[in-house]
Amino acid sequence: MAALLLRRLAGLLLTLLLASAAIFAALDVLPGDPAAVRLGTSARPDTLAAMRAEMGLDRPAPLRYAAWLGGVATGRLGTSTTYGVPVAGLIADRLAVTMPLALMAVTLSLGAALPLGVAAAGRRGGALDAAAALFAQGATALPNFWIGLLLILLFAVRLGWLPSGGFPGWGGGAGPALRALCLPAVALALPQAGVLARVARGAVLDALGEDFIRTARAKGLSARAVLWRHAVRNAWPAVLTVLGLQVSFLVGGAVLVETVFALPGLGRLAVQAFAQRDATVVQDVVLLLAALVIAVNFAVDLAALALDPRLRDAP
Amino acid sequence: MLFRAAALAFLCLAGPAAASPRTSAAVGMSVEPTGLDPTVAAPVAIGQVTWQNVYQGLVRIDRTGAVRPQLASSWTVSPDGLVYTFALRTGVHFQDGEPFDAASAKFTLDRARGPASTNPQKQFFSAIDAVEAPDPATLVVRLRQPSADLLYWLGWPASVMLAPKSADADRTDPVGTGPFRVARWVRGDRVELVRDPGYWDADHLPALESATFRFVPDPQAQAAALRAGGLDAVPELGAPELFAAFKGDPAFDAVAGTTGLKVVAGMNCARAPFDDVRVRRALMMAVDRRALIDAASSGFGTPIGSHFAPGDPGYIDLAGVLPYDPAKARALLAEAGHGDRLAFSIRVPQMAYATRTAEVLQAMFADVGVTMTIVPTEFPATWIADVFKRHDFDMTVVAHAEPLDIGIYARPDYYFGFHDGAFDADIAAAERALDPAHRDAAYRDAERVLAEDVPALYLYVLPKLGVWNAKLRGLWADEPIPSNDLTEVRWTE
């Protein structure tokens, strides 16, 4: 068990190192000189050379890669070439928006999808099952940003209950900040809830067809107990696996949702920095997101191990 | 300390003011500036937040596009046009208390034109030979050659006055002589300005005590924020089709003004088939500019026939030189040996106006037997690398933001690959003109050359579609230069 964990951790670090090399190389061969971007369409060769020197772009690529890795390893993330401020602070500010947003969205989608999926499986073929299928179909088909716009029109413009966008920050108390995150979290959660509800229903139905369910029924357990105590417990690993896979989709959806709601989140930072070819920021943010995805998948694996003893004996 | 007090004052004011007249405004912009010093980076959003609000220049450009005195109260020009002597205002100081005088003005100009300068408009200062500060209230600028445009350039965001002590930190902590100081910049979200109680020009304190620039990239979200009250003004609404809905709403002023942003489809004149002027003229005549504006910009925008906008000094309307005439266009193409088998590609930045314009052009060209392939090109990074630097393109479409930038066609390295001796002579004459009348005449000659030779298809000037709360007054209707001057903005209640 311990050896398995260690092996997994080492693999994780290696993946991260490879990811960092890939990120750096991809940004380096990409067309677009950040100095030229900053100087615009009137740039002259002499101002361009001065800007490249000022931004440290005149150093060779291996040196810049080594400097970046060394910085990341020691916690110095460098300075944004566009904003001119430390990247660590920028990322921390953005995480203070994106993390709560993602957590709210995951909580909302799990909270909606699990009961719906389980209930649909429990009454297979009934009206509730049909309704759940319709919800899953609709929620999955609609893109995040479109849901976001509809939510803004209804709850901000028509009803005036919630702000239409922007983020007041946590300095003014949790209330206004959470209010600002409500609509974006729903917009982010709905498509995910659609997928999860479907997966939950399928996993519960699969479990219901297993031998141990027959045994449980034969022992005289009530249908309710069979469903919740045995089937749902065995459906968890499948739901968790999909949830882990969805983290990367969550990041992509967050970019769109953050744009629609003008939220200063990590996704928008990455997109904006990419447009400006702000390599320092893009590298750090993408590496962080890669680490996040890897870590979440690792956590999902661990959770599956904890939930399903059979996996622990696997080689 | 002062900074913190100002920020605190802002927080108190930012709450909902019920009875008392409002003294704060939230202004929406599509693009966040990448720094707050317009003298070291090009993005127009920098000037749109800071110019006039935070920074001022020796002179300024007013809402009609005219040059007015600002930190220089007056100036004289020597008869040969080579020596400008500015009389500077006294008692002016920067927001951190440092005095503004001839020494800081000399510092600013020398920094902008020096070898380590990263000023995006360094060419503004190329005519300057020496800057002298004989006494604190006098600045002498000596030129290598006369430059009738110098005063105009000095009114630009890239020419604002900085203080020697704070200049290097201005990118993140701007210090200017303007009536507002930056209280807070929440990156990715907003820049908060507060009125500087110690502003040097006490007679012209702005009515607004504070203002917030909020960055809302999505046009739909901009419109929603206006209606929900999260924004008081969007000086440049991102989508023309949303503008009409505000026009009929009495709660809003919806003002269609003009800008200096010329949408042109530049051609690679160094490459076939665009090295043949007949092809360029044929393509120009294949374009119905009015229909293009209707389709791409909901009817807002002004057709142009050369690389000048109606607000520019010396502008003449040349849209009729090569008018829409598909039959003639076909004949010209056949004469140039292209029958109906001409095919090329257009590099299109992802901005909405560019994409729509390219799509309409594609349809209009198809009518004369020309196949144009649209190649989406990420702007600015990829566009600058491929089109601007490597000249690897057939045609492209982009809005040129700088006024009086007709001289780019005389730059041998510029992306159009255009060379014309007569044109170069006109530009040289305009740049060296002693008085504005001669300059304008030279510009008119240059405009005519472009209208005939069409190194780029001259399409239209982008509209400035401003929407703001009907009780808000004083925002600029037109945009002679990219800016959001808040100094005369006030609420009527």
Side-chain angles (χ1 to χ4, degrees), chain B residues 124-137:
Chain B
F124 287 2
F125 315 98
S126 59
I128 298 177
D129 188 35
V131 184
E132 294 153 16
D135 67 74

Side-chain angles (χ1 to χ4, degrees), chain A residues 32-33 37-39 41-43 46-47 51 81-85 94 149 152 164-167 260 268 272 276-277, chain B residues 32 34 40 42 117-118 120-122 171-172 185 187-190 214 220-221 224-225 378 381-382 388 411 414:
Chain A
D33 175 352
V37 171
R38 247 171 91 184
L39 282 172
T41 50
S42 290
D46 62 332
T47 41
M51 186 67 96
T81 52
T82 46
Y83 280 132
V85 295
R94 301 306 179 98
L149 280 173
I152 290 177
S164 71
F167 190 69
V260 169
R268 254 181 86 203
Q272 192 187 21
Q276 300 288 338
R277 293 295 188 270
Chain B
E32 179 181 25
T34 49
V40 297
S117 165
T118 57
Q121 312 292 353
K122 198 175 173 184
R171 237 180 103 195
T172 48
W185 178 10
R187 285 172 183 78
D189 191 49
R190 62 190 186 273
R214 268 190 55 202
Q220 297 278 358
E378 187 205 351
T382 311
F388 189 74
R411 279 171 61 174
Y414 213 72

